[in-house]
Amino acid sequence: RVAAGGAQSLYGVLPDVTCLGKVMGGGFPCAAFGGRRDIMEQLAPSGSIYQAGTLSGNPVAVAAGLTALDLIVQTDPYRELSKRASALLDALTGSLTESGIPHAINRVESLFSIFFTDRGSVRNYADARAADHARYGRFFHAMLDSGVYLPPSGFEGWFLSTAHGDAEIDRTIDAVRRALTRM
């Protein structure tokens, strides 16, 4: 979601083992893991550790994932996604500040979470739990009334995708302003 090589490429991490979840399936259920040769050789048939999965090697999910990767290489959407996230979050931060609503926003590229909190930042589970989730619920429903579907829990992240163009960002910003006046 953040780079063609995942977060590990964004942060310059060379993992011993990497796990890739559902996003790699291009919308289909798929996951994979891989790692250093010495670790992977512990798996059957070379090694004694047996691994299997319900959808391992599912041809439809693998084809969809490969197609998604091809599109990522062709279009390199990450700069535009980050730009749209910045526009959305700048407007959201401005509206929340104008409304006097204490908040913290955690962000990595086009992934972010919004917490209604006066703690200044949310760095762990205790901080997230201390946020005003009742207020988030009111915000969620006000946004839903405006036709914008957010994650229904303040513990969840928001994920922009290439389907979110300027029109969707502008519509979301307008909905935020309306929602905050109703709260």
Side-chain angles (χ1 to χ4, degrees):
R1 291 194 180 266
V2 297
Q8 63 196 29
S9 69
L10 185 68
Y11 293 113
V13 172
L14 183 61
D16 295 329
V17 174
T18 188
C19 298
L20 303 171
K22 61 185 175 182
V23 73
M24 70 164 283
F28 287 88
C30 191
F33 68 95
R36 292 190 335 244
R37 178 181 298 272
D38 63 310
I39 293 173
M40 296 305 290
E41 285 179 346
Q42 300 300 310
L43 301 174
S46 300
S48 62
I49 301 170
Y50 178 73
Q51 184 282 326
T54 304
L55 295 171
S56 293
N58 178 290
V60 174
V62 171
L66 289 171
T67 300
L69 286 172
D70 286 343
L71 287 170
I72 286 168
V73 169
Q74 290 171 23
T75 64
D76 189 15
Y78 299 105
R79 182 175 295 147
E80 191 62 33
L81 283 169
S82 187
K83 181 177 138 190
R84 287 194 176 115
S86 290
L88 176 58
L89 293 179
D90 288 349
L92 181 57
T93 297
S95 294
L96 288 166
T97 301
E98 261 180 46
S99 298
I101 297 174
H103 63 280
I105 298 175
N106 293 356
R107 175 183 174 204
V108 175
E109 299 298 322
S110 63
L111 315 175
F112 51 93
S113 296
I114 297 170
F115 299 93
F116 294 112
T117 182
D118 57 7
R119 291 187 176 210
S121 66
V122 174
R123 300 183 56 84
N124 54 43
Y125 178 67
D127 291 343
R129 209 173 145 181
D132 187 344
H133 293 281
R135 178 175 268 170
Y136 183 90
R138 292 190 303 275
F139 180 67
F140 166 82
H141 285 288
M143 292 293 287
L144 190 59
D145 289 345
S146 292
V148 177
Y149 186 75
L150 302 178
S153 167
F155 289 101
E156 296 181 60
W158 299 25
F159 303 90
L160 290 187
S161 74
T162 55
H164 298 106
D166 292 335
E168 289 77 20
I169 299 301
D170 291 344
R171 182 172 174 213
T172 302
I173 291 168
D174 289 340
V176 164
R177 291 182 180 130
R178 285 192 309 274
L180 293 177
T181 61
R182 292 177 39 201
M183 289 177 55

